[in-house]
Amino acid sequence: MTVQGRRSSAFTRLLRHGFTDPADAERLLELPVLSAVRGDPVLLDALGATADPDLALLGLVRLAEAQEDGGRELLGTVLGAKPLRDRLLGVLGASEALGDHLTRHPRDWQALVTYESADLHPGVVEFEHGLAGADDPVALRVAYRRCLLSIAARDVCGTTDVAETAAELAALATATLRRALALAQLDAPEDAAVCRLAVIAMGKCGGDELNYVSDVDVIFVGEAVGDAEEAKALQAATRLASHLMRICSETTVEGAIWPVDANLRPEGRNGPLVRTLSSHLAYYQRWAKTWEFQALLKARPVAGDANLGTAYMEAVSPLVWGAAERENFVTDVQKMRRRVVDNIPVHHVDRELKLGPGGLRDVEFAVQLLQLVHGRSDATLHSGTTLDALAALAAGGYVGRADAAQLDEAYRFLRTMEHRIQLHRMRRTHLVPEDEKDLRRLGRSMGLRTEPVTALNKEWRRHAAVVRRLHEKLFYRPLLDAVAQLAPGETRLSAKAAGQRLEALGYADPAAALRHLEALSSGVSRKAAIQRTLLPVLLGWFADSADPDAGLLGFRKVSDALGKTPWYLRLLRDEGAAAENLARVLSAGRLAPDLLMRAPEAVAILGAPEGLKPRARNHLEAEVLAGVGRAEDAETAVAVARGVRRRELFRTSAADLIGSYGTEDSPAEADPGALVDRVGQAITDLTAATVAGALRAAVRAQWGDTLPTRFAVIGMGRFGGHELNYGSDADVLFVHEPREGVDEQEAARAANAVVAEMRRLLQLPTADPPLLIDADLRPEGRSGPLVRTLNSYAAYYRRWSLGWEAQALLRAEPMAGDEELGRRFLALADPLRYPEGGLDEAAVREIRRLKARMENERLPRGADPALHTKLGRGGLSDVEWTVQLIQMRHGHELPALRTTRTRRALAAAVDAGLVSETDARTLDDAWVLATRVRNGVMLVRGRAGDTFPSDSRELSAVARYLGYGPGHAGEMLDDYRRTTRRARGVVEELFYGG
C-alpha cells in the first residue's frame, strides 16, 4: 500500500509538471543513468518548463547513455548551471531531430555551455569560425547542426526573438555557402583559377529571414579572370556552382543541410546555371517578368567574389526599383498571388501557414508590393527584410501606424509557429499539425501553457484574421495600381504630366481639372501628401466612368468640406474600398453627389463594413420619431425626418451604383432583379419612416400626443408595392375614424388639417429633397375629399366604386399611423381587389378597354413607344396590368397572389400554373430592365424621366450603370427594344387574350 501510494503521488506530480505519459516518465526516471538526479526537484521543474516534457526526458536519457562517463559530467552540469539546463532541455523538448543529433554526437552538448555576450547574437563571422574545421561535406553537416543547436537554444529560451532567430539562420546559411564554395574550390583549383564566381542569395536567405528548414535560393554570377576565355570560365564557374549545390543538398550519413535552389535565375531551369553580369542585365532589360523583379528585391551577395557581387547589385538595383513602372505591374503581382493560393490542395488550405488566406505570404506580398511602388522615390524602403520594410513603410506614412503594428505582431506570431513546427523534426513544412500531441507541444512552445491546444488555435485564427483583413487593405488596395503605372516624377503630379494624363483619360475640360488638382495637391502638408497619393488612382477611376470631370469636381467639393476633419483622408488612404466607392459615386451621375454635398460627412458610409447595407424600416422609424420628439416645432421636427431621408437616399443610391459598377474587390451584382428589389424596398422603408415622422410632427404641433381621430396612411401604387424609384412620389390614401365621444365634423377638420400640414412640411424649401404626397388614387380622384372615414370608404366602394379603383387597391398597404385602423381598411379592400368568383367577362373587357385607352392617350407626344419605360411597348404598365389582371381573377382562391409586389405576384402565378416559366421570365426581365432604366436616368440626371436621355454623355452613363462598357450605348438600346418587344408579345396573349 505504501509503494502504491508513493507511486500515485509521483504519478500526480508528473502530470502536474506537464507530462502526458507519466507511467513512461516514471520508467525513464528509474533508469540507472538518472539514479543520481531522479529525486532532484530542479530537474523535474526544468523538464516541466519545456514544450514537451516527455520528449525532453527521453532525449536527456538517450544523451546521458551516450556519454563515455555514463552521463556524470552532463548531469552535473545540467543541475549546476541554469543557462545550460534551460538551453539543453529546451532544445530536447522542442526538437526530436536535434535530440537525435546530440545522441549521434554526444559531446556537442558542450556547445551550449558557453554563455558569453558574443554567443548571444552571433553573426556570419562567428558562424564561419564554427564551420572552419569542416573539411568535407559530412563534417560540414555536423558543424552546421552544432551551430544550429545554439540558434535553437537561444530561440526556445527566448534569448532571441523570431526576427533575430531568422537573421541568425540566414547568417549561418551565408557562412555555410561560403564554406561549401571553399570546399568546391579546393577540390577543383584549376576551375577556381580561371573564373570569378559570386553567389547571390535570394528569397528568405537574401532577406535575412530564413526558416529552420528551407530551400536556400541563389543566383550565380560568373566572369573570366584576366585573359581567360569567357566560355571556358563560365564552364568552370558552372562546375564550381554545381559542386557547391551538391555539397549542401546531397544526403549523406549525416543527412542533408538544405537544398540549394537556383530556379530564380534568368529563364529558370531552362537557363544556364551561371551567367555573366552583362548577360544577366540583357535578360532583365528585355525578357524578365514582373515576378523576377519582385524576387530581386531580396537579392544579397553572400559568397564568392565580393566585388562581382557588389557590381551585380549596383547593376540590377535600378531595374528592381523601376519595376513598378512596367505595364500591368500590380495586376501581375496580384495574379501571381492568386495563383499561389489556387494551387494549394483543398484539404490543406485551412492548415497552410504560409500560403493560405491570412498566411505569411499575404504579409510578404503586401509589403513587397508597397516597397516596389513607393521605393522608386524613397530609398528608406530598400530593405529585403519583411519586418524592417514594414517599419519603414509605417515611418514614411505609406501604411497606417496601427495597421503596421498589428501586421508586425501577427507576422511574428505566424513565423514563430512556422519555426516551432519545423524545429520538431527538422522538416520543410508549413502545415499546422492535426495530431493533438503535436498541437499541444506547439502551443506550449509558444508560451501557451493553459489549455495549449485551444489557446493556440484561438491565437492562430485571430492573427490570421488580422493578416487577412490588413492584407486586403494593403495588397489589394487599388490605390497602388495607378500609382505604379505613372511615369517617374508623375507621382507628384507636375502640371505638364497631369495635363497629359487628363487628356489621355478623356477629361472634357482639362484646364478646369488641372485647377482642381492644383487646389487639392499643392503644399507640403500631410493632407497634400496624402492627396498626391490618392489622386493618381482616383483620376483613373473617374476616367472609368461616363463623366470624369464631374467626379473630380465632386471630389474637390467633398475634400474642401471635409479636408480638415482627421478621419476623412485617413479613411480614403487606409480603406481602399472607400476611395474606390467614392470615385464611383461621384462620377456616375448627379443624384448621389448632390445628396452627398448636402451633408459631406455621409462619405463615412462608403468605408464602413456595413455602410452600404440598407437600414431596416423599424430602425429608421425609431430614429425619425426620436428626432421628431426632441424638436421644438413642426418645421424643425420634419427637417430631422427629411435629413434622415436624404442620408438614406444617399446610402441607397451609393449601394446601387457600386453594386451596378462593381469594384476591383467585388464584381458587379449578377442579378439585376436583386438590385431593383433592394432599391425599391429601401426607398419604400425610408419613405414610410419619413411619412410617419411628418404625421407625428403635424399632430404634436396642434394636438399634442393624441389626435381627436384615429388616422392611418395607406400606401398605394409603387409605395404600397415596395417598388419606389428614386424619383417616385408617394401615392397614398388617408383614412380616419373619430375617437369615441368626438364630433364627426371636429374629427374631419382635424384629419384634414393633419393632411394639409403633412404635405406642407414635406414640401418646405430646404436643402433636403422634398417628398411629394399624391392622393389622386382616392375615391372620386381629385374631385373627392382628401380624407374619408372608414365608413365613408365602405359606403363609396359599396355603391360607386369603379373597376380601376378596385385595381388600384391591389397595391394598398398601411404605411403609417394607427395600425389597427390600417388593418381594418385592408379588410374592407380585400373583397374589392380579390372578388369572390373572380372577374366576370364584362369587368375584364373594361380593364382591357381602359388599358388600351391609356396607351393611346397618355403616351407623351413625340415619345418613342419602343423606348418609353412606363407606358411604352412591353414596359412597366404592360407587365403590371397583366399581373394585376391575374391577381383580380384568381386572388380570391389563391392566397399566394395576394401581394402588393409585382414580381412576387408573378412568381405566385407561375407556381399556380397560371403563367408559364418562360413567359414569366420574359415579363420579369422587361419589368426589371425598365425599372433599372428609370433608376439610372434619375441617378444620372438628378431628375426623374421615363425615357432614355438624349444627351450622349448621359446616355453613356445610363449604359454604364446597366453594365455596358464604354461606347456600347447603342447595344443597350437594342437590348431594351428586344426585351420589351418579347414582353409585349406575352402581354398580347395573357392580357388581351391573344
Side-chain angles (χ1 to χ4, degrees):
M1 291 296 293
T2 304
V3 173
Q4 182 62 36
R6 192 164 57 242
R7 178 177 177 82
S8 177
S9 176
F11 191 92
T12 303
R13 187 167 67 253
L14 289 169
L15 277 176
R16 192 167 59 247
H17 279 82
F19 288 86
T20 58
D21 190 349
D24 191 57
E26 281 189 292
R27 179 186 64 79
L28 293 174
L29 287 168
E30 293 295 330
L31 292 174
V33 73
L34 295 185
S35 60
V37 299
R38 71 170 61 100
D40 197 313
V42 171
L43 176 63
L44 201 58
D45 289 343
L47 288 168
T50 65
D52 188 338
D54 301 85
L55 183 62
L57 176 58
L58 177 60
L60 181 63
V61 169
R62 293 175 64 205
L63 180 57
E65 289 177 339
Q67 302 299 310
E68 294 180 356
D69 64 353
R72 288 189 297 276
E73 180 186 3
L74 168 69
L75 295 174
T77 309
V78 165
L79 290 181
K82 186 178 189 308
L84 171 71
R85 180 168 65 246
D86 291 343
R87 288 180 168 199
L88 177 60
L89 295 182
V91 168
L92 292 174
S95 178
E96 182 180 313
L98 289 179
D100 293 342
H101 171 84
L102 285 169
T103 302
R104 291 196 306 274
H105 303 280
R107 300 303 296 170
D108 277 6
W109 67 268
Q110 294 182 342
L112 303 179
V113 174
T114 308
Y115 204 72
E116 302 299 332
S117 57
D119 179 56
L120 294 180
H121 300 290
V124 176
V125 173
E126 288 76 19
F127 287 126
E128 283 188 296
H129 178 73
L131 302 177
D135 53 7
D136 61 65
V138 174
L140 182 59
R141 282 154 175 71
V142 175
Y144 175 84
R145 285 295 175 98
R146 188 182 304 119
C147 293
L148 195 65
L149 191 66
S150 65
I151 294 175
R154 286 186 293 274
D155 180 15
V156 298
C157 291
T159 306
T160 54
D161 64 18
V162 66
E164 292 169 327
T165 299
E168 288 185 13
L169 289 166
L172 176 57
T174 298
T176 304
L177 288 169
R178 291 179 181 179
R179 188 59 190 162
L181 180 58
L183 291 177
Q185 291 169 332
L186 285 172
D187 202 44
E190 67 283 0
D191 285 341
V194 298
C195 71
R196 301 162 60 202
L197 179 65
V199 183
I200 311 298
M202 303 287 284
K204 281 187 161 46
C205 183
D208 283 310
E209 51 187 16
L210 198 61
N211 298 328
Y212 277 104
V213 188
S214 175
D215 292 354
V216 170
D217 298 309
V218 299
I219 285 176
F220 295 108
V221 187
E223 296 287 350
V225 171
D227 296 330
E229 187 180 335
E230 183 178 285
K232 291 184 178 180
L234 287 178
Q235 291 173 357
T238 300
R239 287 191 292 270
L240 290 174
S242 298
H243 194 181
L244 177 153
M245 295 174 70
R246 290 195 303 274
I247 289 172
C248 297
S249 305
E250 286 184 346
T251 301
T252 70
V253 292
E254 289 293 337
I257 301 177
W258 19 246
V260 176
D261 189 340
N263 288 335
L264 292 178
R265 66 186 184 271
E267 299 182 77
R269 294 178 181 177
N270 298 322
L273 184 62
V274 183
R275 288 176 182 258
T276 62
L277 177 56
S278 61
S279 177
H280 276 280
L281 288 179
Y283 173 84
Y284 287 131
Q285 289 167 347
R286 293 190 62 187
W287 308 110
K289 297 181 175 61
T290 298
W291 69 263
E292 293 176 278
F293 292 106
Q294 185 182 5
L296 283 170
L297 190 150
K298 293 184 175 293
R300 176 173 64 94
V302 292
D305 191 295
N307 291 332
L308 182 56
T310 301
Y312 175 87
M313 292 303 299
E314 290 175 349
V316 302
S317 184
L319 300 177
V320 171
W321 298 110
E325 299 164 22
R326 292 167 56 88
E327 187 177 0
N328 298 324
F329 166 73
V330 175
T331 305
D332 287 347
V333 176
Q334 292 176 342
K335 286 180 179 176
M336 187 164 66
R337 162 67 195 149
R338 285 193 290 270
R339 281 198 298 270
V340 169
V341 174
D342 292 343
N343 289 334
I344 302 173
V346 175
H347 59 285
H348 283 170
V349 169
D350 291 338
R351 297 169 51 218
E352 176 61 60
L353 198 61
K354 179 180 179 181
L355 304 178
L360 293 163
R361 185 60 60 88
D362 279 352
V363 181
E364 293 159 0
F365 265 56
V367 170
Q368 290 166 22
L369 182 59
L370 286 163
Q371 281 182 274
L372 291 174
V373 170
H374 297 297
R376 289 177 294 167
S377 55
D378 190 343
T380 65
L381 304 181
H382 296 187
S383 171
T385 306
T386 301
L387 290 177
D388 290 347
L390 180 59
L393 287 165
Y398 304 105
V399 176
R401 291 182 179 87
D403 289 345
Q406 289 186 64
L407 213 54
D408 181 283
E409 180 188 5
Y411 187 74
R412 289 175 182 273
F413 182 89
L414 296 174
R415 281 301 302 272
T416 302
M417 275 187 74
E418 182 184 44
H419 279 187
R420 298 291 194 271
I421 290 169
Q422 293 183 350
L423 183 59
H424 180 221
R425 291 192 173 93
M426 283 297 174
R427 292 178 182 170
R428 184 174 181 268
T429 180
H430 309 287
L431 293 178
V432 178
E434 295 178 294
D435 181 74
E436 183 86 6
K437 183 178 180 181
D438 290 336
L439 287 170
R440 182 176 184 275
R441 181 187 57 259
L442 179 59
R444 284 174 60 90
S445 75
M446 304 280 290
L448 306 170
R449 298 305 173 93
T450 303
E451 299 291 339
V453 176
T454 302
L456 173 68
N457 281 318
K458 181 180 178 181
E459 285 297 293
W460 171 33
R461 300 301 178 190
R462 179 175 71 84
H463 285 295
V466 167
V467 170
R468 189 63 182 159
R469 176 176 61 82
L470 294 180
H471 166 261
E472 287 170 346
K473 289 170 59 179
L474 301 178
F475 180 72
Y476 288 111
R477 187 169 53 172
L479 297 172
L480 301 177
D481 194 39
V483 176
Q485 293 174 9
L486 295 177
E490 198 171 355
T491 305
R492 296 288 188 268
L493 290 176
S494 67
K496 179 180 178 181
Q500 293 171 343
R501 174 107 172 135
L502 289 166
E503 290 178 3
L505 290 171
Y507 281 76
D509 189 352
L514 278 173
R515 290 195 297 272
H516 300 324
L517 294 178
E518 183 178 4
L520 288 164
S521 63
S522 61
V524 295
S525 66
R526 184 174 178 83
K527 169 187 171 183
I530 295 176
Q531 287 283 22
R532 284 194 292 269
T533 302
L534 290 169
L535 279 168
V537 69
L538 287 168
L539 290 175
W541 279 326
F542 293 149
D544 189 40
S545 71
D547 195 348
D549 300 83
L552 181 56
L553 174 61
F555 181 67
R556 180 180 177 182
K557 290 180 177 178
V558 174
S559 295
D560 287 345
L562 297 177
K564 294 183 179 180
T565 59
W567 56 267
Y568 169 62
L569 289 175
R570 186 170 65 243
L571 172 77
L572 299 184
R573 183 196 67 188
D574 295 344
E575 297 288 348
E580 185 177 3
N581 290 346
L582 179 61
R584 297 299 184 203
V585 167
L586 291 176
S587 57
R590 297 179 184 175
L591 178 63
D594 286 350
L595 293 168
L596 180 60
M597 290 305 139
R598 291 165 181 165
E601 64 277 3
V603 75
I605 289 172
L606 302 176
E610 299 291 320
L612 297 176
K613 184 178 180 180
R615 297 182 64 203
R617 177 174 168 182
N618 59 328
H619 293 154
L620 290 172
E621 192 165 315
E623 180 183 2
V624 167
L625 294 180
V628 169
R630 291 190 296 268
E632 295 181 356
D633 53 49
E635 286 79 5
T636 305
V638 87
V640 173
R642 290 174 66 179
V644 172
R645 178 171 178 266
R646 181 249 311 134
R647 183 196 68 208
E648 295 305 314
L649 275 174
F650 172 72
R651 187 194 309 274
T652 303
S653 60
D656 189 13
L657 288 168
I658 293 162
S660 298
Y661 272 80
T663 66
E664 297 186 8
D665 285 334
S666 59
E669 171 63 63
D671 180 8
L675 281 172
V676 165
D677 289 343
R678 279 200 293 271
V679 170
Q681 185 63 58
I683 298 178
T684 297
D685 286 343
L686 66 95
T687 300
T690 306
V691 169
L695 174 58
R696 176 72 61 86
V699 171
R700 286 183 69 242
Q702 187 169 347
W703 294 278
D705 293 332
T706 305
L707 191 67
T709 184
R710 294 182 177 85
F711 189 91
V713 181
I714 310 298
M716 300 289 285
R718 299 195 178 282
F719 187 20
H722 298 257
E723 296 164 357
L724 285 176
N725 306 128
Y726 294 108
S728 299
D729 296 344
D731 290 319
V732 299
L733 297 179
F734 298 110
V735 57
H736 78 103
E737 185 177 66
R739 296 185 185 277
E740 187 175 350
V742 176
D743 179 72
E744 287 194 8
Q745 291 186 346
E746 178 188 351
R749 284 194 298 271
N752 278 282
V754 165
V755 170
E757 180 68 354
M758 286 177 63
R759 300 180 81 179
R760 181 187 74 85
L761 291 173
L762 290 172
Q763 296 179 49
L764 283 173
T766 69
D768 296 313
L771 175 58
L772 300 179
I773 300 295
D774 187 341
D776 287 353
L777 292 177
R778 65 188 183 271
E780 302 179 77
R782 295 180 181 178
S783 302
L786 270 176
V787 191
R788 288 177 181 264
T789 63
L790 187 63
N791 289 335
S792 175
Y793 275 107
Y796 175 86
Y797 286 137
R798 186 169 56 250
R799 297 186 60 188
W800 310 109
S801 174
L802 299 175
W804 71 265
E805 291 173 314
Q807 183 179 350
L809 287 173
L810 287 168
R811 302 286 206 121
E813 182 172 309
M815 289 295 178
D818 191 295
E819 294 181 4
E820 195 271 337
L821 182 59
R823 285 193 293 270
R824 288 166 59 200
F825 181 88
L826 292 188
L828 168 68
D830 279 348
L832 293 166
R833 54 184 179 175
Y834 310 125
E836 185 176 359
L839 296 176
D840 57 30
E841 286 302 315
V844 172
R845 283 195 303 272
E846 175 60 20
I847 291 174
R848 289 170 175 167
R849 186 192 64 80
L850 188 61
K851 173 74 167 67
R853 176 185 168 191
M854 186 175 69
E855 291 176 11
N856 292 327
E857 297 180 1
R858 295 185 58 188
L859 190 70
R861 180 176 297 177
D864 184 349
L867 294 176
H868 197 280
T869 59
K870 183 176 181 180
L871 301 175
R873 180 193 66 197
L876 297 172
S877 178
D878 269 1
V879 177
E880 290 166 0
W881 280 62
T882 300
V883 172
Q884 290 164 12
L885 180 60
I886 293 172
Q887 288 181 279
M888 296 185 74
R889 297 178 82 171
H890 304 283
H892 185 270
E893 68 269 18
L894 296 174
L897 287 171
R898 300 174 198 168
T899 173
T900 63
R901 309 182 190 208
T902 302
R903 300 187 73 208
R904 287 189 184 177
L906 184 56
V910 173
D911 292 339
L914 301 174
V915 180
S916 71
E917 290 188 9
T918 301
D919 286 349
R921 189 179 307 112
T922 299
L923 293 176
D924 187 68
D925 288 347
W927 188 89
V928 168
L929 179 56
T931 302
R932 293 211 72 213
V933 170
R934 294 183 90 199
N935 283 341
V937 169
M938 183 65 182
L939 286 168
V940 169
R941 301 173 64 193
R943 61 183 187 276
D946 292 319
T947 60
F948 288 89
S950 56
D951 178 82
S952 60
R953 177 164 281 198
E954 291 179 346
L955 185 66
S956 177
V958 172
R960 295 300 305 276
Y961 168 73
L962 294 178
Y964 294 88
H968 289 272
E971 182 182 338
M972 170 189 67
L973 296 176
D974 289 344
D975 287 347
Y976 183 85
R977 290 188 180 99
R978 182 168 48 253
T979 300
T980 53
R981 184 173 62 248
R982 290 171 180 167
R984 179 64 181 194
V986 175
V987 171
E988 293 284 355
E989 181 179 346
L990 296 182
F991 184 81
Y992 289 110

